[in-house]
Amino acid sequence: MVIQRLQTLFLLLAVVFMCIFCCTPWATQAAEGVAEASPVFVSEAPVLLILNIVIAVLLFISIFMFKNLKRQMTVTVLSIILICTSMATCGILLFTAYPGATFIWTGGIVLLLVALVCVLFAYRFMKKDHKLLTSYDRLR
């Protein structure tokens, strides 16, 4: 199988980044009386874990929707909204469930941002393909 469309590559990269985010710590929490800060993983917050698994599955399904471009674009926009929701959930959980915790900027949060950028680029290339297809339809 040869990847011929750039949006497929960007969607695949976004799936990989979302899966890596589910396995890496996204915050550190310092316990009282302990010198070292313990990492906070996504698996410790079931809501965040389920949300990120749903995002990864939607992005993976979106890769195979290339025959219906409008539906693929709709699923991609839904994934963008859910990634932004995941970022907001990370922030809310950090300040409510883990008081005194701090983000790990070099790990988990950057992976979410990179996944969001990959999905945005994929959507941009989908729109480019959609414009090309509508221009061909006008010529017929």
Side-chain angles (χ1 to χ4, degrees):
M1 181 172 110
V2 177
I3 297 177
Q4 295 180 353
R5 296 174 11 165
L6 278 175
Q7 57 263 35
T8 305
L9 181 65
F10 281 119
L11 288 172
L12 185 64
L13 283 173
V15 169
V16 169
F17 288 133
M18 292 304 295
C19 291
I20 292 172
F21 175 71
C22 289
C23 300
T24 60
W26 58 275
T28 56
Q29 183 179 17
E32 294 179 22
V34 179
E36 281 187 28
S38 61
V40 178
F41 289 92
V42 176
S43 60
E44 295 174 17
V47 172
L48 190 60
L49 180 65
I50 290 170
L51 179 64
N52 288 316
I53 289 172
V54 167
I55 294 168
V57 168
L58 276 176
L59 288 171
F60 189 72
I61 289 171
S62 178
I63 291 172
F64 298 104
M65 292 185 166
F66 58 88
K67 289 185 180 179
N68 190 346
L69 189 59
K70 286 191 179 198
R71 184 174 295 149
Q72 185 182 29
M73 290 172 70
T74 304
V75 170
T76 304
V77 168
L78 178 64
S79 298
I80 291 169
I81 293 168
L82 288 176
I83 290 173
C84 293
T85 305
S86 178
M87 288 179 187
T89 305
C90 282
I92 291 169
L93 279 175
L94 184 72
F95 294 116
T96 59
Y98 303 104
T102 57
F103 282 121
I104 298 177
W105 291 102
T106 58
I109 301 302
V110 171
L111 290 171
L112 276 179
L113 289 172
V114 171
L116 180 65
V117 168
C118 286
V119 175
L120 287 171
F121 276 134
Y123 185 74
R124 180 177 163 242
F125 285 114
M126 284 178 213
K127 280 181 72 172
K128 199 175 189 181
D129 279 356
H130 185 66
K131 279 185 180 180
L132 184 65
L133 287 173
T134 54
S135 71
Y136 285 150
D137 285 342
R138 278 185 293 207
L139 291 174
R140 281 191 226 173

